[in-house]
Amino acid sequence: MLPEEPGGSDPSRLQLPEGSAPSRVQRPARGGVLHAGTCSPRTPSPEPGADSFFCPRLTPLKSFTGITWHKRTPDPFDSDWSTAAPRDGLNPEAAEGDCFLGYATGKRRNQVLEMFDHAYSNYMDHAYPADELMPLTCRGRVRGQEPSRGDVDDALGKFSLTLIDTLDTLVVLNKTKEFEDAVKNVIKDVNLDNDIVVSVFETNIRVLGGLLGGHSVAIMLKEKGEYMQWYSGELLHMAKQLGYKLLPAFNTTSGLPYPRVNLKFGLRSPEARTGTETDTCTACAGTLILEFAALSRFTGTSIFEEYARKALDFLWEKRQRNSNLVGVTINIHTGDWVRKDSGVGAGIDSYYEYLLKAYVLLGDDRFLERFNTHYDAIMRYISQPPLLLDVHIHKPMLNARTWMDSLLAFFPGLQVLKGDIRPAIETHEMLYQVIKKHNFLPEAFTTDFRVHWAQHPLRPEFAESTYFLYKATGDPYYLEVGKTLIENLNKYARVPCGFAAMKDVRTGSHEDRMDSFFLAEMFKYLYLLFADKEDMIFDIEDYIFTTEAHLLPLWLSTTNQTMSKKNTTTEYTELDDSNFEWTCPNTQILFPNDPMYAQSIREPLKNVVDKSCPRGVARVEESFGSGPKPPLRARDFMASNPEHLEILKKMGVSLIHLKDGRVQLVQHAIQAASSLDAEDGLRFMQEMIELSSQQQKEQQLPPRAVQIVSHPFFGRVVLTAGPAQFGMDLSKHSVGTRGFVATSKPYNGCSEITNPESVKEKIALMQRGQCMFAEKARNIQKAGAIGGIVIDDNEGSSSDTAPLFQMAGDGKNTDDIKIPMLFLFNKEGNIILDAIREYEAVEVLLSDKAKDRDLEMENMDQKSSENDSHKRRPEETSASEDLSLVSQEPEGEESSDVTHLDSLSPVDADSDSISISNQESCITEIHEAIVQETESTELDNKPQEQSQTERDSSSNVNWDNRVQPMESILADWNEDIEAFEMMEKDEL
């Protein structure tokens, strides 16, 4: 049983000798990697009996000072310290540009401050004390009052999440008065005893980390004597209270925590409504040590650090011993890997980060040795510069997927801390090219840089790596990268009530979401990127960043030490000695006599995205390395060929014929003729996934955008719309179609329009149902409309929760339809309808993607009579090309010319990855030798565009009865729950 919180003395105060400050420096542990930190030339007074002075520990913020250190006392672990006199600055060339850059950096710094004020003030005005701001509807997101978003909502605990997450950001941005007010609000309003189930991981990094970061800067300000003189450790007291509420999650035999806990009732009791889970992600269990250890060091209560260490120890022992990699998810009771793919993105990312930073903060060399062991495996198997691709932990030479998620953008920053600069520059440059193509980093993108998951919830990881690379290289190029990030946020994500996440980077449509990490991390890294030392009110080099960018002071390493520093970890892999160098970073070594070194690394990658052609079927095998090729290629397979079936049998692949005429491909590794044949079978199945994914994507039209451009929206509201397989192809008309909207009569548009004077030269709104989409288009075109929007009649439907589909024709020639047609789900459509009721004249732009939203749009007249696309008559518009697409019917309907999407998934319910060594199975369904596949098990529930060809039979609903207040209509903008379920619980 876990101990109860002891009573007695106030734990909120750190017990230190009167008038003294804790030491900031320790002797580095054996084998310390200090490439990427910097070594401060100041020498603190050593404690009695301590080694007099050595290189201080790595911090995440220090720039490269080019220092190696004189060895002042003998070191039992090493006898060959290099000596050199420290020198200031990065290099002369970098210093010469300081004056030139001064004005520009000051301007950007002020711009960041203004953007932060816009986001923070809107949260406080419209959302506080709710956990998060919903920036499109200008209100707070309160869990239980909004439709559930699945695991995403586990971060919300009715504890004013955004305010707590933002505390130390206020001090970094020199907003001390606002910080003092915020701390008072947290103390007065926040309740940590709510009957609510929360994520242990998210609550730790955001809330516990936020309270500890706030406490760290609060005591710093109090010591300075101007602010926070009333503060008596209240935030630390709250942090300790929260720490005890998280401890019940660790009641497992393995020491790995449950993924969720009830703040009021803990686990397993009927009231708790949690405690039955069996799996957690590696990052979820391995991203606790910094916050828990800091809590123990601040309070003197060792139990928190003990439990976090036990979880890390267990993960280390369960690594795959041959590859030294860890999987994505693990059984918290047995320690068996549930998902055996491994990478540096979602599900694992911050586990690696915390191993290195735990060494920095706590001075325990076992964490460094573990990190180095893992890092060697990452660079050996996962790193394929500039890509970072997931592999199987048992077969690390075999890629597990052909796409990357956006969370891996943190890794270049971690490589900077490690001191491995070249691959950091390469990967960062590749990510930047993707951003320049799409304005933001998509949640996932393929190896040929196509969008895989189109969402972008304003993640800060790329800004974090940009900051670290600038501090490492001093290269002004990274200031330009930061400028691009600022401009894109203002141009595409800024809305009147804050900044809205991107629902689709291709169209520019928004989600009603502004996560707390946007304020906690994004503005912190951007400000620090452009800030000079004199812009800071404290020395940020005395702190280390957590994964949520909260600040923990480095002097904790010498405070309340309860753990032995003796290295008890065993079975480390023999690594190259360069992993354990003792020297601090030296710019003359990293960039030898060449200030253009970083540019020379970036140059070959400048056009890597634009020049990358989509991978053809003939190049599928390139995705899986240069190993032996299987005897049968997926592109050549025919289900009716007996020779092919015999080859499949040899590879352990069999066919199951289904009643509907399709067949399933099933692979059992144990049924293969040999282990090599089993490996061939695995490659064949993965090729089939890639092949079907490509075929599927070639048959899709991307979503379109409906952008409200009139007052007071000015293009800042973008709605995701489904395309039509007839009419004007908006992707071929860069200006799109712009016009005022009008409701057709009859509203279903299924007969001759009775109000042609109202819809002429306008974009007609119609309701779905009663007739074919093409018939609606012909009727409004005849009435003189310049475009049409069909609004779903299914009450409450939304593109956030339902898959978009393409509006198909009526089986006849549709070349006569010249106007563009788009489809909106009910909630998106009602936004326009409600705007009409409130503002009467509403102008929209129909396009393939959102256009720039800036002052120019605000200055335009409500209607531009000179707009070519607005004035275009149907007879003047060239016929759109026939779209040779395979229709994708709605679920439950069949067609002889339709190939259905069938997910590759394990036959065994307990398995979710393809692994020969564990004899797991995988299946895929084939119809006429063509497979439509959703790429991987993570995408089984990913919404796909569908084509609606049946006659709509929904009843006609009177439009006047459907108009609702804006607050009601916009109440619940949900995101793609299935696609994000895995990634959001890892770290979002």
Side-chain angles (χ1 to χ4, degrees), residues 181-301:
D181 293 340
V183 172
K184 291 178 180 178
N185 283 332
V186 169
I187 296 171
K188 174 172 61 77
D189 298 334
V190 171
N191 177 22
L192 297 174
D193 197 39
N194 298 313
D195 178 13
I196 193 167
V197 176
V198 297
S199 162
V200 173
F201 169 75
E202 296 289 357
T203 305
N204 171 66
I205 65 170
R206 300 203 206 186
V207 186
L208 182 59
L211 292 171
L212 292 172
H215 173 71
S216 298
V217 294
I219 60 176
M220 176 272 298
L221 290 174
K222 185 175 182 179
E223 288 177 0
K224 289 180 177 294
E226 183 176 356
Y227 295 97
M228 304 298 293
Q229 296 305 299
W230 55 269
Y231 181 70
S232 298
E234 290 85 354
L235 294 179
L236 181 59
H237 183 80
M238 294 177 68
K240 187 173 183 181
Q241 177 190 3
L242 179 60
Y244 276 108
K245 288 184 175 297
L246 296 180
L247 282 186
F250 291 83
N251 274 330
T252 61
T253 56
S254 66
L256 298 178
Y258 282 90
R260 298 174 186 84
V261 68
N262 188 298
L263 290 177
K264 188 178 184 68
F265 297 106
L267 287 173
R268 296 184 179 174
S269 66
E271 298 87 356
R273 305 183 305 281
T274 189
T276 60
E277 301 93 338
T278 59
D279 305 335
T280 192
C281 70
T282 300
C284 299
T287 310
L288 300 161
I289 186 63
L290 291 189
E291 292 83 2
F292 272 48
L295 183 58
S296 288
R297 304 288 175 105
F298 271 127
T299 64
T301 306

Side-chain angles (χ1 to χ4, degrees), residues 16-22 223:
L16 295 173
E18 188 69 29
S20 67
E223 288 177 0

Side-chain angles (χ1 to χ4, degrees), residues 288-547:
L288 300 161
I289 186 63
L290 291 189
E291 292 83 2
F292 272 48
L295 183 58
S296 288
R297 304 288 175 105
F298 271 127
T299 64
T301 306
S302 63
I303 188 172
F304 305 108
E305 184 172 345
E306 291 171 1
Y307 275 94
R309 282 177 177 264
K310 184 178 179 182
L312 272 182
D313 290 344
F314 190 83
L315 289 173
W316 169 254
E317 291 301 323
K318 289 298 178 179
R319 75 194 185 283
Q320 211 291 323
R321 298 304 177 97
N322 293 325
S323 66
N324 281 316
L325 296 173
V326 292
V328 174
T329 55
I330 190 172
N331 186 295
I332 59 177
H333 303 296
T334 66
D336 294 332
W337 290 110
V338 179
R339 276 189 50 196
K340 302 176 181 67
D341 46 319
S342 183
V344 296
I348 303 179
D349 47 2
S350 50
Y351 164 69
Y352 296 132
E353 177 186 3
Y354 270 37
L355 284 178
L356 181 56
K357 290 183 177 180
Y359 164 72
V360 174
L361 183 65
L362 306 179
D364 190 337
D365 63 321
R366 78 189 78 184
F367 294 128
L368 177 64
E369 294 186 16
R370 292 177 186 180
F371 173 79
N372 283 328
T373 302
H374 285 312
Y375 187 78
D376 180 77
I378 290 169
M379 300 309 292
R380 188 185 305 271
Y381 303 119
I382 295 171
S383 176
Q384 302 174 35
L387 309 180
L388 293 163
L389 295 177
D390 285 19
V391 299
H392 296 281
I393 60 176
H394 294 92
K395 294 285 184 179
M397 301 304 294
L398 192 64
N399 288 345
R401 64 189 189 189
T402 58
W403 50 274
M404 296 166 282
D405 65 70
S406 62
L407 284 172
L408 61 76
F410 91 101
F411 197 68
L414 189 63
Q415 289 179 305
V416 170
L417 296 185
K418 165 75 169 106
D420 201 358
I421 304 298
R422 185 183 187 92
I425 293 173
E426 291 173 337
T427 299
H428 180 275
E429 182 62 24
M430 176 270 293
L431 294 171
Y432 184 44
Q433 297 302 320
V434 174
I435 288 175
K436 289 202 291 187
K437 182 176 182 178
H438 299 293
N439 300 320
F440 298 97
L441 197 62
E443 277 295 74
F445 53 94
T446 63
T447 54
D448 47 20
F449 311 110
R450 294 177 297 178
V451 172
H452 188 70
W453 294 343
Q455 301 86 346
H456 173 76
L458 307 182
R459 294 195 183 282
E461 286 78 13
F462 181 78
E464 174 186 2
S465 289
T466 303
Y467 167 67
F468 283 122
L469 274 168
Y470 177 65
K471 291 301 179 182
T473 65
D475 191 338
Y477 175 83
Y478 296 107
L479 297 178
E480 288 299 311
V481 174
K483 173 186 174 184
T484 300
L485 298 181
I486 291 172
E487 291 176 345
N488 288 350
L489 284 171
N490 275 324
K491 198 171 187 179
Y492 303 109
R494 186 165 181 148
V495 294
C497 284
F499 291 83
M502 307 306 296
K503 179 176 178 58
D504 193 315
V505 298
R506 297 166 297 186
T507 64
S509 56
H510 289 135
E511 288 185 75
D512 201 4
R513 170 183 181 185
M514 189 178 81
D515 290 85
S516 68
F517 54 69
F518 181 61
L519 285 166
E521 300 184 68
M522 180 67 82
F523 293 115
K524 192 176 293 176
Y525 287 125
L526 289 178
Y527 181 81
L528 290 170
L529 176 65
F530 294 102
D532 297 322
K533 190 170 184 177
E534 55 268 23
D535 299 316
M536 305 294 297
I537 61 174
F538 65 100
D539 189 353
I540 202 164
E541 296 182 356
D542 292 335
Y543 297 82
I544 188 172
F545 282 142
T546 68
T547 193

Side-chain angles (χ1 to χ4, degrees), residues 59-239:
T59 76
L61 298 175
K62 295 178 182 286
S63 60
F64 285 79
T65 57
I67 300 172
T68 53
W69 293 93
H70 296 280
K71 182 179 178 182
R72 301 196 176 182
T73 58
D75 179 29
F77 296 112
D78 189 91
S79 60
D80 184 26
W81 280 61
S82 56
T83 59
R87 70 192 234 335
D88 296 326
L90 288 163
N91 53 57
E93 291 82 358
E96 289 174 3
D98 288 348
C99 295
F100 178 76
L101 292 172
Y103 173 76
T105 55
K107 178 182 178 181
R108 298 301 170 193
R109 185 171 60 249
N110 293 334
Q111 202 170 0
V112 172
L113 290 173
E114 186 279 328
M115 293 166 65
F116 173 83
D117 289 341
H118 177 67
Y120 180 71
S121 62
N122 273 287
Y123 166 75
M124 295 302 296
D125 293 343
H126 300 294
Y128 181 78
D131 283 318
E132 291 180 345
L133 170 68
M134 300 171 68
L136 298 182
T137 51
C138 299
R139 59 195 178 91
R141 183 182 297 280
V142 179
R143 193 168 173 186
Q145 296 181 13
E146 306 294 334
S148 173
R149 302 178 298 169
D151 289 350
V152 183
D153 284 338
D154 286 345
L156 311 181
K158 297 182 179 178
F159 35 37
S160 301
L161 174 63
T162 297
L163 183 61
I164 292 177
D165 219 0
T166 309
L167 287 176
D168 52 7
T169 302
L170 289 166
V171 179
V172 170
L173 272 58
N174 201 8
K175 296 181 178 295
T176 48
K177 179 60 171 65
E178 291 87 343
F179 171 73
E180 192 158 0
D181 293 340
V183 172
K184 291 178 180 178
N185 283 332
V186 169
I187 296 171
K188 174 172 61 77
D189 298 334
V190 171
N191 177 22
L192 297 174
D193 197 39
N194 298 313
D195 178 13
I196 193 167
V197 176
V198 297
S199 162
V200 173
F201 169 75
E202 296 289 357
T203 305
N204 171 66
I205 65 170
R206 300 203 206 186
V207 186
L208 182 59
L211 292 171
L212 292 172
H215 173 71
S216 298
V217 294
I219 60 176
M220 176 272 298
L221 290 174
K222 185 175 182 179
E223 288 177 0
K224 289 180 177 294
E226 183 176 356
Y227 295 97
M228 304 298 293
Q229 296 305 299
W230 55 269
Y231 181 70
S232 298
E234 290 85 354
L235 294 179
L236 181 59
H237 183 80
M238 294 177 68

